[in-house]
């Protein structure tokens, strides 16, 4: 007796086909960037015909939009700063988390860079989340920003941190992490091994804290 | 007696029309990103007919490619680390320069982010400079990398810096700067005023040095 084929299972469970499409889209974006995502390639990877993809998503942009919403939710789930920790370990943990998050989800790194490369935001992401300048109002993003702000303010109140705009701080850490993960303009291959990731996490935790350090006397 | 019209001058001097096209393309990219660059908009901005643009550039991608080569040359001209300075001021000056360079040339910031958003590099830039992974061999980029590496190694030899991969260091600083300059996901508007730029320059100089600091005992 053989197990039912993957295709058979998927035909019986549209939800799982949808999930497979999103997972394969993530894999394809990680490999070639957002522009290279094609319905045909997604269908081939999942093992269905291209028209079947359209039963789940109206367009290529709709897949990217769904991934953008998923990214926002994943950020709020995995990168929510822990306000119950003291400010220093809270920032360290958060900065390490940013490295881990994008290192394990390179598709999100390329999506976010693509969004940053367009003033106002990348078309498919804007369709899903609104203009980039308004994203701070999206509930999961706001939750992350507000918690990080509370931690930074607590650090300032305790004399551990200097006052620094939460947005600029976040931008610098995210930018440093994204760039370190994908930077191609160097003889060395990009950060990939567990040891390199570990070193990058330590670097980013230290950098985040040093960015926030009060001026030394 | 009136001065000759700008158009008249341009008709007499193809080189200056070419320069105007590139300058207007920079302005359009700064406003809307690389994707939004359209021949018609360039022509309108310069005050010529679209077909006249094609006398100077074969395509939209050719304009972007020319700007990419110009960016590389400008980086080598304005961001060449000064090996005659001591390591600490050399790194400070370089990091401040990166902020100044992209703040005053937002088109380059968006072009570079667009290139980073695609594994292997953005099509038009690859056509001009080769695959992103090979860019480190391009002479002006190599000159910048080699000088920065000499400064970092001198800092290590003097006990001022820890050993750090030049590529990872460059990636983190460039990423932090680019992201801080364009980051839209925050209630505050992006860094724009002279005072904000000054603060960002100070932050980046400090961050660069702190990244390189030997572990504290």
């Amino acid at each position: 007796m053989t197990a039912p084929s993957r295709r058979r299972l998927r035909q019986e469970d549209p939800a799982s086909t949808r999930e497979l499409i999103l997972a394969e889209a993530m894999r394809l974006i990680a490999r070639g960037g957002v522009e290279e995502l094609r319905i045909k390639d997604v269908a081939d990877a999942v093992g269905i015909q291209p028209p079947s993809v359209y039963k789940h998503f109206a367009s290529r942009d709709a897949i990217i939009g769904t991934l953008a919403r998923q990214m926002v939710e994943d950020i709020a789930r995995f990168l929510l700063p822990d306000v119950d920790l003291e400010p220093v370990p809270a920032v360290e943990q958060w900065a390490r988390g940013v490295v881990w998050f994008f290192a394990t989800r390179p598709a999100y790194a390329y999506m976010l860079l693509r969004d940053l490369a367009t003033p106002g935001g990348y078309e498919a992401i804007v369709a899903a989340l609104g203009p980039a300048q308004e994203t701070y109002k999206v509930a999961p993003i706001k939750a992350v920003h507000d918690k990080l702000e509370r931690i930074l303010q607590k650090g300032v109140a305790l004399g551990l941190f200097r006052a620094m705009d939460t947005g600029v701080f976040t931008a610098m850490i995210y930018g440093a992490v994204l760039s370190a993960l994908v930077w191609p303009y160097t003889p060395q291959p990009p950060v990939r091994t567990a040891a390199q990731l570990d070193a990058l996490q330590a670097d980013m935790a230290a950098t985040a804290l040093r960015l926030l350090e009060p001026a030394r006397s």
Side-chain angles (χ1 to χ4, degrees), chain A residues 43 79 86 107 141 149 153 167 198:
Chain A
L79 291 179
E86 289 303 304
I141 295 295
E149 188 147 281
Q153 283 172 353
D198 200 54

Side-chain angles (χ1 to χ4, degrees), chain A residues 3-32:
Chain A
S5 74
R6 285 176 75 201
R7 175 166 310 185
R8 180 78 180 284
L9 276 176
R10 260 176 274 128
Q11 283 170 343
E12 287 163 8
D13 181 1
S16 98
T17 304
R18 189 185 148 87
E19 290 308 309
L20 272 173
I21 290 170
L22 292 175
E24 290 297 345
M26 289 276 280
R27 204 174 56 77
L28 291 166
I29 292 170
R31 204 175 61 187

Side-chain angles (χ1 to χ4, degrees), chain A residues 14-217:
Chain A
S16 98
T17 304
R18 189 185 148 87
E19 290 308 309
L20 272 173
I21 290 170
L22 292 175
E24 290 297 345
M26 289 276 280
R27 204 174 56 77
L28 291 166
I29 292 170
R31 204 175 61 187
V34 173
E35 320 294 321
E36 290 298 309
L37 182 68
R38 302 191 203 295
I39 293 287
K40 188 186 175 309
D41 295 339
V42 175
D44 285 353
V46 176
I48 57 180
Q49 294 299 314
S52 300
V53 174
Y54 291 104
K55 290 182 197 160
H56 301 276
F57 296 95
S59 65
R60 178 186 164 281
D61 276 10
I63 297 177
I64 296 168
T66 302
L67 290 178
R69 280 193 296 268
Q70 182 181 296
M71 169 165 65
V72 163
E73 283 157 22
D74 285 350
I75 285 174
R77 193 172 347 169
F78 297 113
L79 291 179
L80 201 60
D82 186 348
V83 289
D84 293 332
L85 290 176
E86 289 303 304
V88 167
V91 165
E92 280 179 327
Q93 189 189 65
W94 174 78
R96 286 182 166 271
V98 176
V99 174
W100 164 81
F101 184 81
F102 288 107
T104 54
R105 294 161 183 82
Y108 288 164
Y110 288 115
M111 285 169 59
L112 190 47
L113 283 164
R114 185 64 188 79
D115 204 42
L116 287 173
T118 310
Y122 175 60
E123 199 176 4
I125 298 181
V126 170
L129 299 178
Q133 291 87 340
E134 306 285 315
T135 312
Y136 73 90
K137 297 177 188 166
V138 175
I141 295 295
K142 191 171 183 323
V144 171
H145 181 273
D146 290 351
K147 293 214 164 182
L148 190 58
E149 188 147 281
R150 274 176 62 190
I151 289 164
L152 298 191
Q153 283 172 353
K154 187 174 168 193
V156 172
L158 292 171
L160 297 165
F161 299 159
R162 67 189 172 103
M164 191 175 177
D165 179 81
T166 308
V168 173
F169 174 73
T170 307
M172 288 173 73
I173 299 299
Y174 264 66
V177 169
L178 292 173
S179 181
L181 288 173
V182 310
W183 194 254
Y185 318 115
T186 173
Q188 285 74 35
V191 172
R192 284 289 176 274
T193 69
Q196 285 173 326
L197 271 182
D198 200 54
L200 186 59
Q201 285 190 303
D203 281 348
M204 288 314 309
T207 303
L209 288 181
R210 287 166 174 195
L211 256 176
L212 292 168
E213 246 177 26
R216 296 183 216 168
S217 50

